């Protein structure tokens, strides 16, 4: 099975070949590195930019305004904050031009903790991203969704933020990407640049097929009756693990992987809450002005009379930064035991 990095690489290749993708660029995106996580390795259209986040976003906007499709990468989301004003302008462009100018651009960047990257390589961007009008924001939790959401993002006529979990880039899926060889060693030999004797290497791409994950469509990864857990990206795996463990204790947990945080699948969330009567929102961004707080507010407003307990949010602690030592990181962002405790507490609460 492909890793998330391989899935993104194959999606970008498919975009080059079939979807009119003309430029993939950013710091170290082109040869020889192919991105810090190798997600752009071997691509024909990949090229290296200067270390200039504002320049990268400005270039992407110019390419898109000229009518071409591009994917720009900010090497880590921790360094995207100085581009906020440009991201705002990109999101406003269609509206400001009265629908006359579309921006078919994708900005992808690795987000979140899990790699013990300390202050400058461990932070999330989803709450900030959710406040950028005019952008769609996707956050895949597995390689197949990473492939399908990238194809959807490339085809979208307007800006899409593609937030990929740093900790999931080496994660292997349990479903084949259409056209991917079943033998992962064969895939590696085809598309991974060899560490030894790489001179003259070129990828041998599999015969990849179109697979689209619609932006704004969630997925139920565990069905349950007692509580709804809404999450995305890396936290999906922890929530699934918690659901499997608690099932043995007689607690039935329904887990929803949003896949997109804007637009998001409110109807799926609402229907699940109406069934279970309880809801927990889980993500690793900081807890103050967290995207999960918006979802909890909406759940309270629209599902108040169906709720059997107050909605809860499990998120990262509101700290200035995440420390380098593993204990500091693990105590800064949600862990499996935090999710289990919260689920038990919400299920135990009675009106």
């Amino acid at each position: 099975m492909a890793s998330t990095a391989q899935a993104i690489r194959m999606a970008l290749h498919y975009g080059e070949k079939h979807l009119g993708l003309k430029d993939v660029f950013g710091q170290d995106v082109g040869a020889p590195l192919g991105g810090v996580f190798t997600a752009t390795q071997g691509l024909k259209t990949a090229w290296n930019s200067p270390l200039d986040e504002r320049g990268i976003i400005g270039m992407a906007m110019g390419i898109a305004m000229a009518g071409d499709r591009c994917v720009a990468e900010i090497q880590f989301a921790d360094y995207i904050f100085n581009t906020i004003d440009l991201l705002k302008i990109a999101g406003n462009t269609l509206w400001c031009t009265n629908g006359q100018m579309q921006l078919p651009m994708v900005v992808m960047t690795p987000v979140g903790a899990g790699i013990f990257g300390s202050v400058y390589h461990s932070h999330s961007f989803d709450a900030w991203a959710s406040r950028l009008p005019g952008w769609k924001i996707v956050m895949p939790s597995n390689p197949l969704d990473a492939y399908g959401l990238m194809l959807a993002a490339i085809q979208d006529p307007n800006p899409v933020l593609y937030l990929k979990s740093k900790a999931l880039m080496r994660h292997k899926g349990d479903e084949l990407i259409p056209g991917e060889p079943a033998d992962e060693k064969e895939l590696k030999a085809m598309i991974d640049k060899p560490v030894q004797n790489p001179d003259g290497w070129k990828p041998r791409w599999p015969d990849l097929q179109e697979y689209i994950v619609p932006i704004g469509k969630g997925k139920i990864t565990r069905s349950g009756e007692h509580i709804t857990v809404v999450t995305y990206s890396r936290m999906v795996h922890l929530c699934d693990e918690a659901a499997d463990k608690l099932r043995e204790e007689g607690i039935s947990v329904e887990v929803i992987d949003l896949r997109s945080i804007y637009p998001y699948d409110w109807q799926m969330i609402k229907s699940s809450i109406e069934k279970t009567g309880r809801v927990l929102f889980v993500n690793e961004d900081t807890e103050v002005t967290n995207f999960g707080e918006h979802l909890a507010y909406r759940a309270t407003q629209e599902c108040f009379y169906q709720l059997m307990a107050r909605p809860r949010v499990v998120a990262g602690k509101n700290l200035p930064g995440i420390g380098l030592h593993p204990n500091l990181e693990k105590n800064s962002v949600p862990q499996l035991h935090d999710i289990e405790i919260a689920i038990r507490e919400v299920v135990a609460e009675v009106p």
Side-chain angles (χ1 to χ4, degrees), residues 87-100:
L87 297 176
K88 180 182 177 183
I89 292 170
N92 286 347
T93 298
L94 183 68
W95 183 83
C96 289
T97 61
N98 197 27
Q100 296 181 62

Side-chain angles (χ1 to χ4, degrees), residues 269-289:
I269 298 171
K270 185 177 181 181
S271 297
S272 182
I273 293 173
E274 289 173 346
K275 177 177 70 172
T276 66
R278 290 173 168 82
V279 63
L280 175 70
F281 300 98
V282 179
N283 64 72
E284 61 180 290
D285 208 342
T286 50
E287 59 193 351
V288 175
T289 64

Side-chain angles (χ1 to χ4, degrees), residues 3-258:
S3 68
T4 299
Q6 289 173 322
I8 293 171
R9 195 188 313 158
M10 289 190 286
L12 292 171
H13 167 71
Y14 187 92
E16 290 178 326
K17 188 173 181 180
H18 300 287
L19 304 178
L21 178 60
K22 298 290 184 67
D23 290 277
V24 180
F25 63 98
Q27 184 190 353
D28 296 323
V29 163
L33 189 59
V36 291
F37 294 101
T38 71
T40 54
Q41 203 172 74
L43 298 172
K44 287 184 178 180
T45 62
W47 50 274
N48 295 317
S49 75
L51 200 170
D52 177 10
E53 289 81 15
R54 289 176 59 81
I56 292 167
I57 299 301
M59 177 65 73
M61 292 171 65
I63 291 170
M65 285 178 178
D68 285 337
R69 298 184 181 277
C70 66
V71 175
E73 178 173 86
I74 302 299
Q75 193 171 71
F76 288 94
D78 310 69
Y79 300 101
I80 201 172
F81 293 89
N82 71 337
T83 72
I84 290 289
D85 55 338
L86 292 173
L87 297 176
K88 180 182 177 183
I89 292 170
N92 286 347
T93 298
L94 183 68
W95 183 83
C96 289
T97 61
N98 197 27
Q100 296 181 62
M101 183 168 287
Q102 296 177 324
L103 267 68
M105 58 184 278
V106 179
V107 174
M108 67 174 177
T109 187
V111 297
I115 63 169
F116 305 107
S118 191
V119 174
Y120 295 109
H121 299 88
S122 297
H123 295 99
S124 298
F125 189 66
D126 31 307
W128 290 84
S130 70
R131 303 183 195 111
L132 289 169
W135 285 84
K136 294 180 177 134
I137 302 103
V138 301
M139 298 189 71
S141 67
N142 60 78
L144 183 61
D145 283 353
Y147 182 88
L149 285 169
M150 179 58 81
L151 295 194
I154 292 170
Q155 292 186 58
D156 199 281
N158 276 293
V160 179
L161 268 167
Y162 187 97
L163 306 182
K164 51 188 183 181
S165 168
K166 299 161 193 168
L168 294 182
M169 294 303 288
R170 298 288 173 258
H171 170 77
K172 298 290 182 70
D174 53 13
E175 296 177 275
L176 285 172
I177 292 165
E180 172 195 350
D183 185 346
E184 63 182 61
K185 291 183 179 179
E186 180 183 355
L187 178 66
K188 179 179 177 64
M190 293 174 72
I191 70 169
D192 283 10
K193 184 178 180 179
V195 177
Q196 296 180 334
N197 303 317
D199 292 344
W201 171 83
K202 291 184 179 180
R204 294 179 294 109
W205 298 103
D207 184 19
L208 298 164
Q209 306 300 311
E210 184 175 76
Y211 176 80
I212 304 292
V213 174
I215 297 176
K217 182 64 177 175
K219 179 182 180 181
I220 296 174
T221 60
R222 297 290 187 275
S223 295
E225 303 293 332
H226 297 153
I227 183 173
T228 299
V229 176
V230 181
T231 187
Y232 47 84
S233 192
R234 181 168 77 105
M235 292 291 113
V236 171
H237 301 278
L238 294 182
C239 292
D240 282 348
E241 188 176 347
D244 292 341
K245 182 177 179 180
L246 292 172
R247 183 181 296 114
E248 299 173 0
E249 301 176 18
I251 299 175
S252 178
V253 181
E254 182 146 293
V255 179
I256 294 176
D257 177 359
L258 280 184

Side-chain angles (χ1 to χ4, degrees), residues 279-307:
V279 63
L280 175 70
F281 300 98
V282 179
N283 64 72
E284 61 180 290
D285 208 342
T286 50
E287 59 193 351
V288 175
T289 64
N290 185 280
F291 177 65
E293 293 179 326
H294 159 70
L295 296 177
Y297 170 79
R298 188 169 182 184
T300 303
Q301 292 296 305
E302 298 190 30
C303 304
F304 183 80
Y305 294 105
Q306 287 78 42
L307 287 166

